[in-house]
Amino acid sequence: MSMQKNVVLFGPPGAGKGTQAVRLGTFLKVPHISTGNMFRHHIKNQTPLGKKVKEYSEKGLLVPDDVTIAMVKERLGQPDVRNGFLLDGFPRSIPQAEELDRILAGSGLPLHHVINIQVSDAEIRGRLAKRATLEGRQDDADPTVIQKRIDTYKNQSEPCLSTYRPKGIVRDINGLGSIEDVFGRIQKVFA
Ligand code: AMP
């Protein structure tokens, strides 16, 4: 049996998804598809898409589903995802999760694991504030935006988990500890 490498990395902002995703993508030898990174790239290069999404991103809001879904659909249509993929930051709403199901079904690709990195609200706030000073990320700098991103996660993103739980594909990971600790826990999913 081929290794199960069709993966969604899930978790609140500040859970360490991005850091873990880079490692996991290298470990699994699959493309790391980060919608956050894709949007930041477009914003930085002032592309038409970047101009469209800048405002949402700066306010801690989700970019509208149609825009996000179109971008991911295009990416998942590329041949390199047939040997596995690591989605980081997508899906983040129920419509996105439903659309992902349709895209994958249409390509004959199953979703093997939803890796859910769990961290408390208090820990998230502390980490995001720290990350702002280290990386200078605009959306990490302002406490109002941080709170908005946490609310957005709770209201729009977290419900995706209840659609995945009945399928038996959610792997809950304790997100506390060092980067190595957390990565060790994630690796066990693939052992
Ligand atoms: P991230 O780096 O994953 O935290 O993403 C940064 C920002 O990009 C988010 O706060 C959203 O504004 C936007 N974004 C990233 N992924 C998505 C998504 N799946 N749906 C809507 N907006 C997204």
Side-chain angles (χ1 to χ4, degrees), residues 3 17 28 33 55 59 71 73 94 96 99 102 107 115 118 125-126 129 131-132 147 155-156 162 165 167 172 186:
M3 202 173 168
K17 279 195 304 290
L28 294 176
I33 304 171
E55 214 185 305
K59 289 185 180 155
M71 185 178 76
K73 196 169 182 177
I94 294 277
Q96 290 181 15
E99 189 59 32
R102 277 192 284 274
S107 315
I115 297 185
Q118 299 179 304
R125 282 200 192 79
R131 184 161 82 186
Q147 188 56 50
N155 297 331
Q156 296 186 68
S162 15
R165 291 227 184 259
K167 299 181 178 170
D172 290 310
I186 293 174

Side-chain angles (χ1 to χ4, degrees), residues 35-36 39-40 57 61-63 68 89-90 92 96 137 149:
T35 45
F39 286 139
R40 275 186 289 279
S57 172
L61 299 172
L62 292 186
V63 170
T68 307
F90 184 94
R92 248 167 151 128
Q96 290 181 15
R137 249 182 79 159
R149 286 166 66 209

